[in-house]
Amino acid sequence: MVEKKPLTRFGEFEFLKALAIIGLPLIHVMEQAIDYGFATPGLKSVGYGIIGLCIFGPSVFMICMGFGIGGGKLSAAAIRRNGIQFLLIGAILNLLRWLLPGIVQHLAIGSRLIEDVDACFMSDIYYFVGLFFLFYSVLKKWKVTSYQLLLISIITLTINNMLTPVMQKFVTNSTAAAIIGNIIYVDKYSSFPLLSWAIFPTVGIILGEILKKNTDEFREVFMKRMIGFSIVFFGAFVFFLWNYKIDVLKVLVSPNNDYITDLPNVMMLIAVAGFLLGITYYLCKAIGHTGFMAYMLKISTFIIPFYLLQWIITSWIFYGMMIAGAPKACFGVVPYIICVVGITAICIYVASHHGMKIMKMLTKITSFKNKPKKGGKHVEK
């Protein structure tokens, strides 16, 4: 019997990236319901546990994203252009999910618009990815290696942790906090500060450099060892924290930041990510040639349309509830499930059937390629 080949060599990274994206409506609908005060006590009782999944999803996604450029042939200039594109995509998203519905709400019920303006500057995944690509392009131009980048990211993580109390004390203007929060943690809205999050795509870059230049036999051994190392490392860390009477959950979710602020937290999340990558590697060996895997690869290819659409729909739902004067604590478990299933289904359909069109449109809007002069061709280096 001939063994069927997988649809892609590194399916575990694509599969986890798609899985992290598909699960976002589960998180974001819950976050918005609680933040805007619409969640019922029953929904809140399970809500914080669901939001807690954020401690795993984004870190795994960022490692997979870094893997995509690790070991590749992209030049520093190409990485810089991609960074600018991601920043512009983030700005487009914030205009559509915060500013535009905020203007409608302001005109309808006279709400304060400044909060929606501030939200347009707040840290988000695509702002972070854009800033990281710009940061990485500079270091790549200076011939900084990936292992040196890892040391730099550990240093920036420590700097962020040291500066957090200073930022919280002196940065009191909401707009300034939103902007600075893209680099350094300021408040709970600083979701993905560059200084603290850079370590995750850096780990992905190193994995890309190691695995892409080696054989599948090497990868098999590497993944097996990574599973074992991740289990031992995580277990040792848990025992260390327990022995010193330190709350493991507090370290895992990071005490100062809803996302990431300190090295112990990051090390535990990297151990979890390593374990998930190893397990998914063996899963993809079993299903790597199936139609289900092909579908997950399609979602992974069009994660940008999926991400943008799920946020826009979620945001407009809750802005609509505020405009309509919906009472507080009116959003229970059943509406939550309906919204999550509906948003996920819509986004999967649109991403899988129209993802390429959306990507081309976004590329056209966010690209700044020099047009060729008349009578000659422009060759981009």
Side-chain angles (χ1 to χ4, degrees):
M1 183 177 178
V2 179
E3 185 179 351
K4 293 183 179 180
K5 291 184 178 180
L7 299 172
T8 183
R9 186 183 177 200
F10 297 104
E12 63 272 24
F13 290 91
E14 300 301 327
F15 186 92
L16 278 178
K17 196 162 55 172
L19 192 63
I21 289 296
I22 290 174
L24 285 179
L26 192 74
I27 307 295
H28 290 156
V29 172
M30 184 66 74
E31 281 183 334
Q32 299 305 297
I34 292 175
D35 287 349
Y36 289 118
F38 291 123
T40 62
L43 186 62
K44 280 185 178 181
S45 65
V46 297
Y48 292 108
I50 292 175
I51 293 174
L53 294 173
C54 277
I55 65 178
F56 302 114
S59 53
V60 171
F61 176 83
M62 294 303 180
I63 290 174
C64 294
M65 182 271 293
F67 179 86
I69 58 175
K73 297 181 180 180
L74 283 178
S75 65
I79 294 172
R80 182 178 65 250
R81 286 194 298 272
N82 288 344
I84 294 172
Q85 283 187 290
F86 281 123
L87 286 174
L88 292 174
I89 289 172
I92 291 169
L93 171 61
N94 283 344
L95 289 174
L96 294 175
R97 67 170 168 170
W98 302 133
L99 187 59
L100 187 57
I103 291 173
V104 173
Q105 184 187 31
H106 174 72
L107 294 174
I109 61 175
S111 60
R112 294 177 71 245
L113 192 58
I114 185 61
E115 295 177 2
D116 307 294
V117 173
D118 288 345
C120 290
F121 298 107
M122 287 177 185
S123 175
D124 182 72
I125 280 183
Y126 281 108
Y127 279 172
F128 165 76
V129 173
L131 289 172
F132 178 80
F133 272 50
L134 294 177
F135 175 64
Y136 181 51
S137 69
V138 173
L139 297 181
K140 189 175 179 68
K141 190 172 183 179
W142 291 347
K143 309 298 182 183
V144 173
T145 68
S146 58
Y147 294 99
Q148 290 171 332
L149 177 60
L150 180 61
L151 292 176
I152 291 171
S153 65
I154 293 173
I155 292 170
T156 61
L157 176 66
T158 306
I159 291 172
N160 177 84
N161 209 28
M162 293 170 61
L163 291 179
T164 293
V166 178
M167 294 296 108
Q168 292 177 328
K169 182 176 181 180
F170 293 104
V171 181
T172 55
N173 179 270
S174 59
T175 305
I179 295 171
I180 295 172
N182 287 280
I183 307 296
I184 304 169
Y185 179 78
V186 179
D187 54 32
K188 67 178 183 178
Y189 299 110
S190 307
S191 301
F192 306 100
L194 176 64
L195 294 187
S196 59
W197 270 82
I199 192 167
F200 290 108
T202 300
V203 170
I205 290 171
I206 293 174
L207 288 175
E209 292 181 354
I210 293 172
L211 296 176
K212 289 178 184 178
K213 69 179 181 181
N214 281 293
T215 63
D216 288 340
E217 289 75 17
F218 172 88
R219 179 162 154 241
E220 175 88 22
V221 174
F222 184 90
M223 286 298 183
K224 188 179 295 184
R225 290 178 177 175
M226 187 163 68
I227 292 174
F229 175 81
S230 299
I231 293 173
V232 172
F233 185 87
F234 189 87
F237 226 109
V238 169
F239 177 78
F240 167 82
L241 296 172
W242 173 80
N243 191 48
Y244 284 91
K245 305 297 187 295
I246 299 172
D247 192 327
V248 175
L249 287 178
K250 273 193 173 182
V251 175
L252 196 58
V253 300
S254 199
N256 298 321
N257 185 350
D258 290 345
Y259 289 81
I260 309 296
T261 51
D262 48 45
L263 190 59
N265 166 253
V266 166
M267 297 307 293
M268 294 185 77
L269 289 183
I270 289 176
V272 171
F275 175 78
L276 291 176
L277 280 169
I279 294 297
T280 309
Y281 165 75
Y282 287 102
L283 173 65
C284 290
K285 284 190 69 175
I287 67 168
H289 58 276
T290 63
F292 174 70
M293 187 64 186
Y295 207 77
M296 293 298 282
L297 289 175
K298 200 169 188 179
I299 297 298
S300 177
T301 302
F302 300 122
I303 55 174
I304 293 178
F306 187 102
Y307 182 83
L308 299 184
L309 188 58
Q310 59 87 29
W311 249 128
I312 292 169
I313 296 174
T314 301
S315 182
W316 277 90
I317 286 173
F318 289 99
Y319 270 99
M321 291 177 67
M322 288 187 288
I323 292 170
K328 297 295 183 181
C330 66
F331 196 82
V333 175
V334 173
Y336 169 74
I337 294 174
I338 292 173
C339 280
V340 170
V341 173
I343 292 170
T344 304
I346 291 170
C347 293
I348 288 176
Y349 177 83
V350 173
S352 59
H353 288 79
H354 305 287
M356 184 58 72
K357 293 179 182 178
I358 297 172
M359 290 297 294
K360 287 181 178 179
M361 180 183 67
L362 288 171
T363 301
K364 188 175 182 180
I365 294 172
T366 59
S367 294
F368 294 95
K369 293 182 179 179
N370 295 328
K371 295 181 179 179
K373 295 180 180 179
K374 290 183 178 180
K377 293 182 179 179
H378 169 72
V379 179
E380 190 170 356
K381 296 181 180 179

